[in-house]
């Protein structure tokens, strides 16, 4: 009886160690796959899933984007992009401030707007 109990415990320990190793490897892999990839040079502005603007972050500019409930003001400054004002209720998109890293994004679900920052190697053409 003791031999069976000991065998079960050692099997359980093996399973737990293998599970911990697997989860550690998975977490490390996800970190390296999903982390921001350096400085962004462009931003894609999408409204309801369609590309509205592809902007260079090299030149300062302010854009007024017509959305469902009014106008959203988007600013490009110091190689970053931000939503300065939005007619949405909670204005979470405004509170995010300027984003500068490739892979980052600014989302405004109520107005259907998404801004994705891209590295130079990811972009082929620029609108503004």
């Amino acid at each position: 009886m003791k031999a069976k109990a000991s065998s079960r415990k050692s099997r359980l320990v093996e399973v737990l160690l293998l599970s911990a190793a697997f989860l550690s490897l998975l977490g490390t892999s996800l970190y390296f796959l999903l982390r921001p990839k350096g400085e962004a040079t462009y931003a894609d502005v999408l409204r309801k899933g369609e590309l509205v603007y592809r902007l260079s972050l090299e030149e300062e500019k302010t854009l007024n984007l017509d959305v469902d409930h009014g106008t959203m003001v988007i600013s490009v400054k110091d190689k970053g992009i931000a939503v300065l004002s939005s007619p949405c209720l909670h204005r979470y998109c405004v509170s995010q401030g300027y984003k500068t890293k490739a892979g980052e994004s600014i989302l405004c679900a109520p107005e259907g707007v998404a801004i994705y920052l891209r590295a130079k190697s990811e972009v082929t053409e620029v609108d503004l």
Side-chain angles (χ1 to χ4, degrees):
M1 237 12 195
K2 278 189 169 183
K4 273 190 171 181
S6 177
S7 176
R8 285 184 185 165
K9 284 182 182 179
S10 67
R11 181 71 84 186
L12 179 62
V13 169
E14 287 176 6
V15 169
L16 289 175
L17 286 174
L18 285 173
S19 297
F22 174 76
L23 290 174
S24 176
L25 181 62
L26 179 65
T28 303
S29 298
L30 287 174
Y31 169 77
F32 283 107
L33 288 174
L34 301 177
R35 71 182 172 159
K37 298 160 182 73
E39 295 297 315
T41 53
Y42 300 95
D44 287 341
V45 180
L46 289 80
R47 183 178 53 217
K48 296 186 178 177
E50 292 187 30
L51 183 64
V52 179
Y53 294 109
R54 178 163 284 157
L55 306 171
S56 169
L57 299 179
E58 301 293 325
E59 300 173 25
E60 291 189 9
K61 61 184 77 63
T62 301
L63 299 171
N64 294 319
L65 180 64
D66 292 329
V67 293
D68 290 340
H69 302 100
T71 301
M72 178 180 282
V73 179
I74 300 170
S75 171
V76 176
K77 183 171 98 174
D78 298 328
K79 298 184 180 182
I81 191 165
V83 175
L84 297 183
S85 68
S86 176
C88 62
L89 181 61
H90 297 292
R91 292 179 181 77
Y92 177 69
C93 52
V94 176
S95 70
Q96 293 183 60
Y98 281 87
K99 301 288 186 177
T100 60
K101 303 284 184 204
E104 291 183 317
S105 60
I106 300 173
L107 304 175
C108 183
E111 300 300 335
V113 175
I115 302 171
Y116 298 106
L117 282 78
R118 309 274 187 222
K120 189 173 188 174
S121 61
E122 299 176 281
V123 178
T124 55
E125 295 179 21
V126 179
D127 293 334
L128 299 172

